[in-house]
Amino acid sequence: MFGTIKHNRKRAMMIRVYQAKHSNQSVLFLQQPLVQSGASLPLWLRKKVQRQKQKQQLVLVSRNIQTRAALTETDKITEKSTVKVIGIVKVKIAMSGLFSRLTLDQGIDDITDLFGKSLLLELVSSHLHPVTGLEKETLKAYAHKTVQGKESVNYVASFEVPNDFGEIGAVLVENEHHKEMFLETILLDGFPEGAIHFDCASWVHSKFDNPTKRVFFSNKCYLPQETPSGLRILRKEELSNLRGNGVGERKCFERIYDYDIYNDIGDPDRSLELQRPPLGGKERPYPRRCRTGRPHSEADPLSEKRSGPFYVPRDECFSEVKQHTFSTKTLQSVLLILLPSLGRIIKEKELPFSFFHDIDSLFSIGLDLPAEDKNDKRGFLGTIMPRLVKSIAGDRGHVLRFETPETMNRDRFFWFRDEEFARQTVAGLNPYCIKLVTEWPLKSKLDPEIYGPAESAITSEIINKEIGGMMSVEKAIQEKKLFMLDYHDILLPYVNKVRKLEGKTLYGSRTLFFLNPEGTLRPLAIELTRPPTVGKGQWKQVFTPSWHSTSVWLWRIAKAHVLAHDSGYHQLVSHWLRTHCVTEPYVIATNRQLSEMHPINKLLHPHFRYTMEINALAREALINADGTIESAFAPGKYSLEISSAAYALEWRFDKESLPADLIRRGMAVEDPFAPHGLRLAIQDYPFANDGLFLWDAIKLWVTDYVNHYYSEPSLVESDEELQAWWTEIRTCGHADKKDEPWWPLLKTPKDLIGILSTIIWVTSGHHAAVNFGQYAYGGYFPNRPTIARTKIPSEDPTEEEWKKFIAKPERALLKCFPSQLQATRVMAVLDILSTHSPDEEYIGEKMEPSWAEDPVIKAAFERFRERLKKLEALIDQRNENAELKNRNGAGIVPYELLKPFSKPGVTGMGVPCSISI
């Protein structure tokens, strides 16, 4: 109350001074006579002064009566010229308490709370001062700790907001504690027109780490040109802060987004054997990652040191729920604790499985973990990975025992069947590589001087024999009956390099399939090729299904090689490159160029959640030198180089939408009369059928959203933030492809809809289709071996090698499969990567606060959600349709990878908004 009175008095005094300054006669005559002691003046002069004074007083009294009347009215108004507003800040309590750990600083922070100075809040007006034309002075107040619940604590501040302050457009927050705090929301309550909401969901650093105040804008969206005048400078300053200055090593509490090349995959400081060439640049094109600013290696100036944490901007880190369930800690536990334990159990690195029974025992008996010692982590592993690490009564203690994948649970011999091998190309883990054969004979595009004759060994005679006289090769191509997995040209340049590595071999491969009348695929032929090497010419051979035992076993081993190629390409290209890797530049550019107030930022934000964190973890322990990918997948230390080669040769943004991808591979053609505007080459193509419905739902949602904010086509081209965002994605995030002519233009709402739909599809549908079935299809590794370690027996065999194969062909296949250490290592990782977190956000499930506050956007999102519910039911109907033989049949796992929603855990379904694992 006293503050209000003081404030009103101050305003009244300002009014009086203002009126005095603009009056024809100074008010000072009322307070201070012209002559303070007039007794010394002559009588005539004193009388003259008195007469003049009387005249002035008569005038001023008249004016003063009017002024007093006016001031009385002003005082009445002043009494009601402010509004008392309560600011409520909701802070999430960390799982280990309000702060991460108890320290001396914690005690100081408790005292800070006690004195009611926990957070300094400043309210920012959306309007400029009407007289000065400058930003209005902010209204400040300290927030003190009040109500504390199990998951959050409230901090409350009181403000006296003048009626002429204007709408509150932002809140500045200064954290007075020594530790960061996670702000969930800020609510300003008390305004006549209703409360103002700020959805923060962000970490606020301590002022002792960084004195710069955090900015939180209200949930309202504004295009740059529509930004309220009082927020324009703040909007630009906040973007500038997020970009940083490109100098120095990043700190864990910072929120700075910048670009760098992939020069931290190797670890030459630990060993020169772990040196890897940088990815990004003319020689090895690659998307950019987030800059960490770590110093360069002493052993290799081109590489960045791997010392210290892998920085990601603070708000990109996993939530505590995700950290404490499976994600970071579980995956790190697998990589840093469990895998070394496996190395102690399986002492021989290259030891193969002796019998298929040994493979089956991983699911029934398991592996004993090492005996307990002072560094034992089994109790921790058992708590955090109950699916993998189990407590067994008796002497065995804890064991690593895998859950039986659903594929094997339904049909123990599913992996052995040729029809399942073919079916999984359209309804399995990697449905992105099957393509239509359009030219014959097949030819390589590689230089024959280096790689040998370009013509394929798969001839018309071989194919005509396999399709049993039903039609000729030419007719099969004409009628779109011939399909292929082609890993020939992408792998052949690395064959001789990989073969120099211990326990590894490689081929270039082609696999042909024929489309049966009932809509299923039948494998016809596999071609394996080795390029010329020292003292040897090119070697190639074609393998076909056969009724003779020797040919049958060669066919099975050839299939193992092709599956290893498919597994490697799936992990390195279909999965890592085309989702994780290419998306990181989108995340960086969005935070650098699109304000949090920008509607496109609000649209994309859910689709970027946790992506930079999981990518950093991949660089740390999955795709790094001697990591899981290099150790257990076919290309070995050249894995990321092959990923770079695929980026250079194949990746195009304009072909990453699902319709464009299907058309590029010849799997569909445009047809305005067909469902989704496309006619599929294989009508029963589960991934494409479900995916196109999801694609259409995404595009319709994006169309509604974009058209709401860009009602005029010219608004897209005049949006300076949007144009800077798209330019930066092309020229910085994908700098090695910045001059390609195929980049879409961004001039109209239609252009924007296409770009945004592609990005959202890649982060949701595309990623879900290639990720969450990893354990279902790869958990029993003979179905998808990640590596083929031995050459096929018919490649230049010695007499002894051939005799061993003839005597024990099963042993030859088991030796070709991954070793015991490689298999168990990959199985453990795939189990984690296939798991949904309890805090997973599925596409169409959660409405963002800014969408809920806009009736048009809210209605559009609800329509989007209804379409996804319809897709859920449609997928169930399709899986029950016996005529759809690629998703229904004896022992066949239903195709559910694009069902939008899922419960937590390994389910083989669910489409999260983002690439979060």
Side-chain angles (χ1 to χ4, degrees), residues 337-353:
I337 301 174
L338 180 60
L339 298 188
S341 296
L342 291 174
R344 294 196 294 274
I345 302 169
I346 308 169
K347 298 185 183 299
E348 189 178 337
K349 186 178 178 182
E350 300 297 328
L351 183 67
F353 288 92

Side-chain angles (χ1 to χ4, degrees), residues 207-502:
K207 73 173 185 179
F208 301 101
D209 288 329
N210 184 353
T212 304
K213 297 180 178 68
R214 277 298 310 276
V215 180
F216 293 104
F217 296 104
S218 70
N219 291 344
K220 287 188 176 181
C221 294
Y222 298 100
L223 296 179
Q225 59 269 36
E226 298 169 347
T227 309
S229 58
L231 302 177
R232 288 174 184 168
I233 291 178
L234 192 61
R235 179 171 183 155
K236 290 183 178 180
E237 286 178 350
E238 176 67 358
L239 283 174
S240 178
N241 290 337
L242 290 171
R243 294 181 196 124
N245 58 9
V247 178
E249 186 171 353
R250 299 273 65 88
K251 307 291 192 303
C252 62
F253 60 82
E254 291 180 327
R255 299 165 56 248
I256 294 177
Y257 298 78
D258 205 353
Y259 301 96
D260 207 344
I261 61 173
Y262 279 75
N263 60 352
D264 63 344
I265 301 302
D267 195 0
D269 287 333
R270 185 154 64 96
S271 168
L272 288 178
E273 290 294 319
L274 301 178
Q275 185 176 11
R276 298 292 182 268
L279 303 180
K282 186 176 181 180
E283 188 174 351
R284 296 178 184 86
Y286 219 55
R288 299 302 190 255
R289 64 167 174 91
C290 184
R291 179 186 177 276
T292 67
R294 292 179 296 188
H296 281 208
S297 163
E298 296 172 4
D300 176 15
L302 297 178
S303 297
E304 186 177 271
K305 280 183 176 290
R306 288 174 60 85
S307 58
F310 281 62
Y311 165 81
V312 294
R314 188 64 184 96
D315 285 340
E316 305 299 331
C317 297
F318 287 150
S319 70
E320 286 197 321
V321 171
K322 196 171 178 69
Q323 287 177 340
H324 284 263
T325 50
F326 71 91
S327 57
T328 325
K329 289 193 175 181
T330 309
L331 190 50
Q332 285 178 333
S333 299
V334 168
L335 298 174
L336 304 179
I337 301 174
L338 180 60
L339 298 188
S341 296
L342 291 174
R344 294 196 294 274
I345 302 169
I346 308 169
K347 298 185 183 299
E348 189 178 337
K349 186 178 178 182
E350 300 297 328
L351 183 67
F353 288 92
S354 299
F355 305 98
F356 277 95
H357 171 75
D358 296 336
I359 300 174
D360 295 344
S361 70
L362 294 174
F363 306 97
S364 57
I365 300 173
L367 297 170
D368 291 339
L369 290 175
E372 185 173 354
D373 57 44
K374 63 180 181 179
N375 296 316
D376 180 63
K377 300 290 183 181
R378 293 175 304 159
F380 170 71
L381 288 175
T383 301
I384 205 166
M385 292 182 290
R387 267 180 59 87
L388 299 180
V389 180
K390 296 174 174 64
S391 223
I392 303 297
D395 297 333
R396 293 190 66 195
H398 289 76
V399 300
L400 173 69
R401 190 169 68 197
F402 294 95
E403 295 287 331
T404 303
E406 183 63 17
T407 44
M408 186 186 177
N409 196 38
R410 286 178 176 244
D411 180 357
R412 183 179 175 185
F413 301 104
F414 79 106
W415 65 278
F416 208 61
R417 295 185 285 107
D418 286 348
E419 56 269 30
E420 180 65 10
F421 167 55
R423 189 190 73 86
Q424 287 184 28
T425 64
V426 292
L429 186 57
N430 187 26
Y432 268 97
C433 289
I434 187 77
K435 65 180 183 179
L436 183 70
V437 175
T438 57
E439 296 179 354
W440 194 266
L442 302 174
K443 286 187 177 182
S444 169
K445 293 183 173 65
L446 298 174
D447 185 352
E449 294 293 324
I450 300 174
Y451 300 104
E455 292 77 16
S456 170
I458 302 177
T459 63
S460 297
E461 290 75 19
I462 292 174
I463 299 304
N464 288 336
K465 179 182 177 181
E466 291 302 317
I467 58 180
M470 293 175 62
M471 60 182 69
S472 65
V473 171
E474 291 75 17
K475 187 175 182 182
I477 293 174
Q478 182 182 358
E479 294 187 6
K480 298 184 178 181
K481 299 288 186 181
L482 211 56
F483 298 85
M484 175 170 58
L485 288 179
D486 187 0
Y487 300 123
H488 185 277
D489 285 10
I490 192 70
L491 294 181
L492 203 62
Y494 294 90
V495 168
N496 289 332
K497 295 179 181 179
V498 169
R499 286 185 167 215
K500 293 178 183 178
L501 304 176
E502 182 183 358

Side-chain angles (χ1 to χ4, degrees), residues 80 401 616 858 895:
K80 299 180 181 179
R401 190 169 68 197
K858 181 180 180 181
Y895 188 78

Side-chain angles (χ1 to χ4, degrees), residues 38-51:
S40 60
L41 294 176
L43 180 62
W44 67 269
L45 183 57
R46 277 184 294 176
K47 290 181 178 180
K48 186 175 182 179
V49 169
Q50 287 174 353
R51 287 194 299 267

